Each structure stands twice: as C-alpha cells, then as structure tokens.
Amino acid sequence: MRILIAEKNRGFRAGFVELVTDCHPTWQIVETADVVELLAHMGAAHFDLVFLDLQLPGLHAYVTLPVLRGDSPHTKFIGLGDADDRATIVRCCQ
C-alpha cells in the first residue's frame, strides 16, 4: 500500500506517520506540507490512499479535491481537518 499524508502541521504529521508505520510497517509513506508538493507527488506516482488536510496552504478543498479524485479515480481520499459543520463536510464529499 502506498499512501500520501498531506498535512500542514509538522508535529501532527510526524505523529501520524509514526502511528501508520507502527500499524502497517510495510506501507510506503510519502508526506507533504503544501499543495505544490501534493500536486507534484500525485502527478508522479499512484497512491492507494491520501490523507488530506482540508486546510492545507494553497488548497481550495472544494475545487482541488474533485480534480484530484477525477485524476486518480482508484485512490481513496480521507479528509483531515477541524471543520465540524455539515455543509463543509458534505461539500468536500461531493
């Protein structure tokens, strides 16, 4: 399994990488902290799973996420963020 963790907070990202590595030591993990690197990684390789910070610098989740899903239809995306309002969550899932 090849995963990408796109999260702006370095401490959270490091802890998340450690957790995933402990649970799934054979998974290949790529990490990034900004949308430019995210797009470069997505364009260069296939990922089975992407953990995506919906507040990633430069990311417009409502616009970028549907494009990423369209370009990578076999990749599963899991949104990370602190949005708790239903409208935001539903809009990102469309």
Side-chain angles (χ1 to χ4, degrees), residues 4 6-7 30-44 47 52 56-60 64 68:
L4 175 62
E7 166 60 49
V30 175
E31 56 182 291
T32 183
D34 66 60
V35 73
V36 173
E37 286 184 358
L38 167 70
L39 296 174
H41 287 303
M42 293 292 298
F47 292 94
L52 179 61
L56 195 66
L59 179 76
H60 302 285
T64 308
L68 291 174

Side-chain angles (χ1 to χ4, degrees), residues 17-90:
V17 168
E18 184 176 341
L19 175 66
V20 172
T21 301
D22 286 349
C23 293
H24 303 283
T26 61
W27 286 11
Q28 295 178 316
I29 301 171
V30 175
E31 56 182 291
T32 183
D34 66 60
V35 73
V36 173
E37 286 184 358
L38 167 70
L39 296 174
H41 287 303
M42 293 292 298
H46 166 76
F47 292 94
D48 300 294
L49 182 60
V50 175
F51 291 94
L52 179 61
D53 176 357
L54 299 177
Q55 287 85 35
L56 195 66
L59 179 76
H60 302 285
Y62 305 137
V63 176
T64 308
L65 190 52
V67 171
L68 291 174
R69 289 194 317 238
D71 290 346
S72 302
H74 300 292
T75 300
K76 302 297 182 202
F77 290 87
I78 297 176
L80 304 173
D82 57 3
D84 63 353
D85 65 289
R86 181 175 170 78
T88 298
I89 295 166
V90 168

